[in-house]
Amino acid sequence: MPSSTSVLSHSFDGTFYCVQTTSFDVTFIIGANENPELLENVDIEVRLPDGSRWSATMFTVAEVQRLLTRWSETGECMGGSYFWCSDGVIVRDPGVKAMTGVLIGLHDDEHALASVLQPLDEK
């Protein structure tokens, strides 16, 4: 089934990669010297047309495995026995394009986006 949401524009200033879609805007907060299309661990903020803001940390499956392996050496998380993140969304493929595609799919799936992401309180 074709998506009802499409990408309108994107911009990157070296820290914030912003994608505007027909249904929401998403900002990827990218670390120094990271390639947006190779991202495997990134914080995001989604803004819906009603002004509500939502957040998540998106990880690839490969990044979770890398973290578990590292933690098995450092002793964190019971020696890499588990992975936990309160706002984590695990995706298959890296990069802004793939992650935006997941967010579009969540939005178009009966607005599952607001069920998966964490709300950000307006102060």
Side-chain angles (χ1 to χ4, degrees):
M1 180 159 113
S3 174
S4 63
T5 300
S6 60
V7 173
L8 297 173
S9 67
H10 54 89
S11 62
F12 183 47
D13 70 4
T15 302
F16 300 105
Y17 194 108
C18 302
V19 179
Q20 181 184 24
T21 76
T22 53
S23 299
F24 60 86
D25 296 338
V26 59
T27 301
F28 294 82
I29 304 161
I30 299 176
N33 302 319
E34 287 188 281
N35 180 333
E37 288 310 321
L38 299 177
L39 291 174
E40 296 204 51
N41 180 341
V42 64
D43 292 324
I44 65 155
E45 180 182 311
V46 171
R47 184 177 297 267
L48 297 177
D50 66 5
S52 63
R53 296 170 42 234
W54 304 81
S55 71
T57 301
M58 298 184 87
F59 299 91
T60 62
V61 173
E63 176 67 1
V64 172
Q65 182 60 51
R66 185 191 71 76
L67 290 169
L68 292 172
T69 299
R70 185 178 90 199
W71 295 340
S72 71
E73 297 168 5
T74 66
E76 295 170 78
C77 296
M78 295 175 47
S81 296
Y82 71 92
F83 177 90
W84 182 85
C85 178
S86 64
D87 67 347
V89 176
I90 299 174
V91 299
R92 181 182 319 247
D93 299 314
V96 167
K97 183 177 180 179
M99 291 176 183
T100 299
V102 167
L103 294 169
I104 288 171
L106 287 170
H107 179 274
D108 290 351
D109 182 19
E110 298 299 318
H111 299 281
L113 193 75
S115 297
V116 173
L117 304 185
Q118 299 294 311
L120 292 172
D121 294 329
E122 294 293 324
K123 303 285 186 215

